[in-house]
Amino acid sequence: MTAPRPASPGDTLDRVETPALVVDLDALEANIAAMASRAKAGGMALRPHAKTHKSAEIAKLQLAAGAIGICAQKVSEAEALLGSGVKDVLISNHILGEAKLDRLCGIAKHVRVTTLTSDAAHVAMLSQAAARNGAEIEILIEIDAGDARMGLQNLNQVGPLAQAIDKAPGLRFRGLQAYTGPFQHIRDPEERADAALASAEIALEARDAILALGLSCETITGGGTGSFDYDLSEQAFTEIQPGSYVFMDMDYGRNEDGPSEVFRQSLFVLASVIRVPEKRVVYVDAGVKSLNLDSGMPGVHERTDLAFTKASDEQGRVEIATKGQAPKLGERLLLVPSHCDPTVNQFDWMVAVRNGRVEHVWPVDARGCVI
């Protein structure tokens, strides 16, 4: 069941039903423009990761600003975002299972689709699915660029795997995926820069192994919101795939000299004060089911005198500093998520606001698309 719309265009914030996912349109649009400008100036294509916002409307804004396509993380997520009009989708994951592969091929019949692999057995599965469906799938080899996740760690295997993809019916070898998620959150800027450089060197080593076999490597994609400046300067990638820059969150705000210096906080959870039991504590109607807490507690926007300290399923505890001003019963607070991506996935609707008034109420199109 989809939840009722929490607001209507023209409403002021005090009329929005809470808890609600709220986006500041001025900040969102500024963030989209800033990243598009940085990528263009750096001579690099921009492929934003849509797993952050899960919204066809936001994908439209990114494409209109110059993005060459989008990333999605799941087949169902890609399907849900086709309404954006996107023509080039990278499903930056390893897709297995006959049903999923058939649906992947279904998308590939309408738009350009690329996905990832790291071993020959998976290449055979992808090729069989493409042949079965009369489709062509473009393939990137995912390499481990330093974060010890899904990528191929032995670079001696990159060349033979690229050859296997190149020979496989229904597949087209496109290049490399070299994303390093944990590196996006390295706090110290020098350490973050060093990590980006090391990742770039690994990607270039893998590229050279492919070129030595006479194959082309047209795409090296990766990078992210935390490392985008370094990724642009290293010039190893042909495209970057940041996601969180559209919204930002508390965790990215902890990076020293990080993306919060460039991008504005645009995503909030609007909550109402529902109990004022004592002078130094209030409770709000947003808890674990509204706020993903894997990266800590949320902040309270523009209220340094308030600290969100504890959450139950449906409520949150907010403590007030000694000289702080206690919120009143029914007062609205804008909470800054600690981790934007999974927070978005908690909501069916996104309330887009400009100057304190609702301009749009957008569906979170790919909410719950985990298949």
Side-chain angles (χ1 to χ4, degrees):
M1 176 180 173
T2 301
R5 288 175 180 253
S8 299
D11 284 348
T12 53
L13 279 179
D14 63 336
R15 293 184 61 83
V16 177
E17 292 290 336
T18 60
L21 192 69
V22 170
V23 177
D24 181 322
L25 280 170
D26 285 339
L28 174 75
E29 291 165 2
N31 291 348
I32 290 172
M35 184 63 84
S37 176
R38 294 289 185 105
K40 183 177 181 180
M44 208 165 289
L46 173 62
R47 181 185 296 279
H49 213 310
K51 72 181 177 69
T52 295
H53 54 71
K54 295 180 172 286
S55 163
E57 292 300 326
I58 293 179
K60 286 179 185 178
L61 295 175
Q62 292 173 314
L63 294 166
I68 63 165
I70 62 171
C71 294
Q73 200 67 2
K74 297 296 182 77
V75 174
S76 58
E77 192 171 74
E79 290 169 332
L81 296 172
L82 291 178
S84 66
V86 65
K87 301 300 181 186
D88 188 333
V89 178
L90 166 59
I91 301 178
S92 52
N93 206 342
H94 297 228
I95 308 303
L96 276 79
E98 187 171 309
K100 288 189 183 74
L101 288 170
D102 286 347
R103 284 170 40 222
L104 176 72
C105 291
I107 300 172
K109 291 181 179 181
H110 301 285
V111 303
R112 185 183 192 185
V113 169
T114 307
T115 191
L116 310 182
T117 192
S118 291
D119 65 69
H122 186 216
V123 170
M125 295 176 188
L126 290 162
S127 179
Q128 290 164 9
R132 184 168 64 245
N133 289 278
E136 180 180 76
I137 308 170
E138 303 198 13
I139 305 296
L140 301 172
I141 296 174
E142 183 173 21
I143 60 171
D144 181 348
D147 65 351
R149 296 211 296 184
M150 290 279 288
L152 185 63
Q153 294 183 328
N154 185 351
L155 295 189
N156 291 330
Q157 297 174 2
V158 169
L161 185 58
Q163 288 177 316
I165 296 166
D166 186 59
K167 294 174 182 177
L171 305 185
R172 177 179 177 271
F173 177 65
R174 186 170 178 179
L176 299 168
Q177 161 94 356
Y179 178 66
T180 51
F183 293 0
Q184 306 305 313
H185 304 278
I186 295 174
R187 303 309 180 198
D188 180 82
E190 290 186 7
E191 292 179 13
R192 203 161 60 248
D194 289 344
L197 174 60
S199 296
E201 290 174 343
I202 293 170
L204 292 175
E205 182 182 349
R207 180 204 63 184
D208 290 346
I210 292 165
L211 297 179
L213 296 173
L215 298 175
S216 65
C217 184
E218 68 181 66
T219 299
I220 303 178
T221 184
T225 296
S227 64
F228 80 95
D229 259 342
Y230 310 121
D231 299 326
L232 291 170
S233 65
E234 297 300 341
Q235 291 292 304
F237 295 113
T238 62
E239 63 180 44
I240 56 171
Q241 47 181 250
S244 299
Y245 75 95
V246 292
F247 290 149
M248 300 305 295
D249 55 33
M250 292 291 291
D251 194 64
Y252 269 116
R254 298 183 187 109
N255 284 7
E256 298 173 27
D257 296 327
S260 60
E261 304 295 322
V262 179
F263 306 108
R264 295 160 55 185
Q265 184 64 43
S266 71
L267 183 75
F268 306 93
V269 172
L270 183 68
S272 296
V273 176
I274 57 173
R275 179 156 160 70
V276 186
E278 51 187 274
K279 291 182 178 180
R280 304 266 65 87
V281 173
V282 299
Y283 290 88
V284 296
D285 59 356
V288 174
K289 292 181 181 178
S290 304
L291 297 157
N292 185 276
L293 304 179
D294 67 326
S295 296
M297 294 295 168
V300 183
H301 184 55
E302 295 183 341
R303 290 296 302 269
T304 57
D305 59 331
L306 303 180
F308 192 109
T309 58
K310 185 179 179 181
S312 57
D313 282 357
E314 308 290 355
Q315 295 91 33
R317 176 186 173 97
V318 177
E319 297 185 16
I320 304 143
T322 302
K323 296 183 179 180
Q325 182 175 354
K328 298 178 181 178
L329 190 66
E331 187 173 335
R332 306 300 178 89
L333 299 176
L334 286 170
L335 306 179
V336 179
S338 60
H339 188 179
C340 55
D341 298 25
T343 299
V344 171
N345 198 49
Q346 309 276 61
F347 292 87
D348 288 319
W349 302 99
M350 188 180 299
V351 181
V353 174
R354 199 185 307 274
N355 297 323
R357 192 171 292 273
V358 177
E359 198 165 295
H360 307 284
V361 180
W362 292 329
V364 180
D365 302 279
R367 185 196 179 188
C369 290
V370 297
I371 296 174

